Amino acid sequence: MATLSSSTNHDNNQKVDEKPIPHDQNVLRKHVEFFDRNHDGIIYPWETFKGFRAIGCGYLLSSAAAIFINASLSSKTRPGKFPSPLLPIEVKNIQKAKHGSDSSVYDSEGRFVPSKFEEIFKKHARTHPEALTSEELRDMLKANREPKDYSGWLASFSEWKALYVLCKDSNGLLHRETIQAVYDGSLFEKMEKEHSQKKKK
């Protein structure tokens, strides 16, 4: 896809600094706050689009992501409210949009679960202990599937496939540091900074 050609790929020497993630806070909220471009607690599709463009994604991928993400999460984060055609996502309720068939690294309150994060590598990182190959990632997604949870299957596949395409290194490895940075919310900011620097050259 032409839209992926502008994505940010990392080589072996470009790893994200690994820092402890607080496991008593809603870090899932921090994960999505990057897309709240005006910091008002609401994420509209055009903000999701701008967020994906900011990290180097093409117009087509950014547009598709904005529609898919906001359409999937809007009503879940606005319980008791009438559906809005603007598809807003309320950041404060993002944990309510947590889907099934995932890694369970976030619990039901959006908190980071260290043991589940470690399981990703203990169970699936067979080639390299600190990274996942494309095949290992595919096996992990299959292992996480809950029976007949088709929407969860699709959501997990979309999230991890996008992460792999955008962040794999030159050897096709998705590193532990990168995955941790997704969970703690720091990866998107780093990618935005790198993309901005490239545009200035």
Side-chain angles (χ1 to χ4, degrees), residues 124-171:
H124 305 290
R126 300 182 299 273
T127 307
H128 299 272
E130 299 292 308
L132 296 175
T133 64
S134 177
E135 181 179 357
E136 290 166 350
L137 182 58
R138 184 170 61 249
D139 291 343
M140 181 188 76
L141 291 173
K142 290 181 179 179
N144 290 341
R145 287 179 180 175
E146 298 172 6
K148 298 183 179 180
D149 178 29
Y150 303 116
S151 61
W153 297 4
L154 177 60
S156 291
F157 174 82
S158 301
E159 292 166 355
W160 282 96
K161 183 64 174 180
L163 177 63
Y164 181 80
V165 170
L166 291 171
C167 298
K168 65 182 178 180
D169 70 9
S170 57
N171 294 315

Side-chain angles (χ1 to χ4, degrees), residues 3-195:
T3 54
L4 297 181
S5 62
S6 61
S7 64
T8 304
N9 290 331
H10 298 270
D11 60 29
N12 286 330
N13 296 320
Q14 290 179 299
K15 293 185 178 181
V16 181
D17 292 336
E18 185 173 356
K19 298 178 181 179
I21 301 178
H23 52 267
D24 58 347
Q25 301 175 13
N26 186 338
V27 290
L28 176 56
R29 184 182 301 178
K30 186 175 186 298
H31 170 79
V32 302
E33 283 178 342
F34 172 81
F35 296 94
D36 182 12
R37 306 303 283 179
N38 62 358
H39 309 293
D40 66 350
I42 305 292
I43 303 173
Y44 289 99
W46 51 89
E47 292 183 280
T48 304
F49 173 84
K50 289 179 181 178
F52 274 90
R53 289 290 294 148
I55 62 176
C57 296
Y59 285 101
L60 183 57
L61 177 59
S62 299
S63 299
I67 295 171
F68 176 75
I69 291 173
N70 283 73
S72 300
L73 305 185
S74 179
S75 62
K76 295 178 182 178
T77 63
R78 304 175 72 247
K81 295 183 180 180
F82 194 78
S84 169
L86 297 180
L87 302 177
I89 295 172
E90 293 192 6
V91 175
K92 67 179 181 180
N93 293 325
I94 192 61
Q95 70 277 3
K96 297 181 183 297
K98 185 176 178 293
H99 58 78
S101 299
D102 65 355
S103 62
S104 298
V105 174
Y106 292 128
D107 68 10
S108 60
E109 298 300 319
R111 295 169 298 203
F112 180 75
V113 183
S115 61
K116 292 296 183 180
F117 179 74
E118 295 299 332
E119 276 186 16
I120 292 176
F121 304 95
K122 290 179 180 178
K123 290 184 176 181
H124 305 290
R126 300 182 299 273
T127 307
H128 299 272
E130 299 292 308
L132 296 175
T133 64
S134 177
E135 181 179 357
E136 290 166 350
L137 182 58
R138 184 170 61 249
D139 291 343
M140 181 188 76
L141 291 173
K142 290 181 179 179
N144 290 341
R145 287 179 180 175
E146 298 172 6
K148 298 183 179 180
D149 178 29
Y150 303 116
S151 61
W153 297 4
L154 177 60
S156 291
F157 174 82
S158 301
E159 292 166 355
W160 282 96
K161 183 64 174 180
L163 177 63
Y164 181 80
V165 170
L166 291 171
C167 298
K168 65 182 178 180
D169 70 9
S170 57
N171 294 315
L173 296 174
L174 185 60
H175 288 273
R176 174 194 177 98
E177 294 87 351
T178 300
I179 297 173
Q180 178 166 322
V182 172
Y183 284 116
D184 70 20
S186 65
L187 179 65
F188 298 134
E189 294 176 359
K190 181 178 185 293
M191 292 177 70
E192 180 180 27
K193 182 178 180 181
E194 289 178 349
H195 182 61

